[in-house]
Amino acid sequence: MRHIIKPDDFSVQELEDLFDLATDMERNPDKYAHVCEGKKLATCFYEPSTRTRLSTETAMLNLGGKIMGFSDAGSSSASKGESVSDTIRVISCFADIAAIRHPKEGAATVAAMHSTIPVINCGDGGHQHPTQTLTDLHTIRSLKGRLSNFTIGLCGDLKFGRTVHSLINALARYEGIRFIFISPPELRVPDYITEKLEEKGIRYEEYISLDDVMPRLDILYMTRVQRERFFNEEDYVRLKDFYILDTERMKKAKNDMFVLHPLPRVNEISVEVDRDPRAAYFRQVQYGMYVRMALIMTLLELHVD
Ligand code: NCD
């Protein structure tokens, strides 16, 4: 039985197969409309979510399966003190696959250890968010036609942003990726991640100014400042509007650069940028649904002829 806790639980070749499957699902939805008939997905969300939960649920519904779950820890037995390991044991009796989001780093790993059904990590604290990373990789591959040889700028809260941590990890496995990290000094990429890049001999640069690097980027991955992971409100208020991507800044970028964002956006991309054909963050949401369909089918080891 297989789980996805971090993106590198899948090899580069397995990811290629997954993205090909997602593309085929987008082109031929009818072919896959019944593949999960009789199967149930449980979504166990102990933290707020719009996209990830609804996208995972829609993915299961598109495959002909059924969904159940909770979207708020307060409405589950967690509020009575039940542990994640007990909850997942119980869910394993009801569902065929579980998607879990939890504020604590490592919660999905604990769930996987005690589960008898595949577990999808939909975000564990500031640690990893593999299905967002699959979404990001599938989006880049679809827009650019490749996952190698480009310069990616990651901008905003690089310290607490789990989507950033997962994406760096995942892209580090491809040839010719150059990372440019743009953040206020307080929100730099954690050392444990840059140390890994250094060990592997992967190039990265760190900047405070977005303007300075804009012309060099092939992809710009914007992120929101993660208010819920700050220790005090004062720091959040000081840093929340550090970067605002607007049409003026977009003029400095290449014509074939794309802007991605895991969403939700707060102020870091002004709405006027949405009209720019290089703004890909809503298309990214669409790609995310197909990649989750492919993931569910793969974890359940289902096939179509
Ligand atoms: C992200 C998350 O939850 O980490 N959202 C998402 O799943 N698309 C990013 C964020 O909350 O900023």
Side-chain angles (χ1 to χ4, degrees), residues 14-247:
E14 285 172 326
L15 289 184
E16 286 295 299
D17 296 343
L18 197 76
F19 301 144
D20 285 341
L21 180 59
T23 303
D24 195 50
M25 286 173 154
E26 185 174 355
R27 291 189 186 140
N28 307 296
D30 292 348
K31 197 166 129 189
Y32 300 94
H34 304 286
V35 71
C36 280
E37 245 160 38
K39 303 280 182 200
K40 287 180 255 114
L41 162 81
T43 45
C44 312
F45 274 55
Y46 297 81
E47 251 195 357
S49 166
T50 304
R51 261 149 306 277
T52 307
R53 185 171 61 83
L54 294 182
S55 167
T56 311
E57 293 183 352
T58 308
M60 189 53 156
L61 294 173
N62 287 347
L63 295 168
K66 292 200 165 68
I67 56 168
M68 59 175 154
F70 56 88
S71 55
D72 169 16
S75 68
S76 79
S77 282
S79 64
K80 301 180 185 169
E82 185 171 55
S83 64
V84 168
S85 53
D86 281 4
T87 302
I88 197 73
R89 271 189 207 148
V90 171
I91 302 277
S92 296
C93 303
F94 304 145
D96 301 282
I97 185 163
I100 177 166
R101 167 172 287 191
H102 199 282
K104 283 215 181 100
E105 287 79 5
T109 307
V110 170
M113 279 162 57
H114 296 89
S115 175
T116 55
I117 57 174
V119 170
I120 302 175
N121 179 10
C122 287
D124 60 324
H127 189 217
Q128 297 274 327
H129 192 344
T131 66
Q132 183 63 46
T133 298
L134 299 184
T135 301
D136 303 338
L137 296 179
H138 183 46
T139 304
I140 296 171
R141 187 178 183 259
S142 303
L143 296 173
K144 287 267 173 210
R146 63 179 196 279
L147 278 170
S148 54
N149 300 308
F150 61 80
T151 300
I152 178 164
L154 294 108
C155 176
D157 186 346
L158 309 187
K159 178 178 180 184
F160 295 115
R162 58 192 171 196
T163 63
V164 167
H165 304 161
S166 273
L167 184 57
I168 297 171
N169 242 330
L171 278 175
R173 295 197 291 176
Y174 295 88
E175 287 290 307
I177 299 295
R178 182 189 286 270
F179 292 105
I180 300 192
F181 301 139
I182 309 126
S183 74
E186 297 90 332
L187 298 178
R188 287 179 50 221
V189 176
D191 289 344
Y192 79 91
I193 293 180
T194 48
E195 278 161 17
K196 252 196 226 155
L197 294 178
E198 278 159 30
E199 265 167 38
K200 290 186 178 167
I202 295 165
R203 293 168 295 181
Y204 72 89
E205 298 164 47
E206 293 184 282
Y207 289 86
I208 296 173
S209 159
L210 176 57
D211 292 303
D212 289 354
V213 297
M214 211 56 189
R216 294 171 53 199
L217 305 180
D218 299 306
I219 299 284
L220 171 58
Y221 194 87
M222 291 296 293
T223 62
R224 103 188 140 89
V225 175
Q226 305 278 300
R227 179 182 203 160
E228 65 276 35
R229 308 208 195 284
F230 270 67
F231 296 109
N232 69 70
E233 183 72 6
E234 214 174 280
D235 285 347
Y236 169 71
V237 170
R238 186 167 52 81
L239 295 168
K240 72 183 173 64
D241 294 328
F242 204 92
Y243 299 105
I244 298 185
L245 183 65
D246 55 16
T247 43

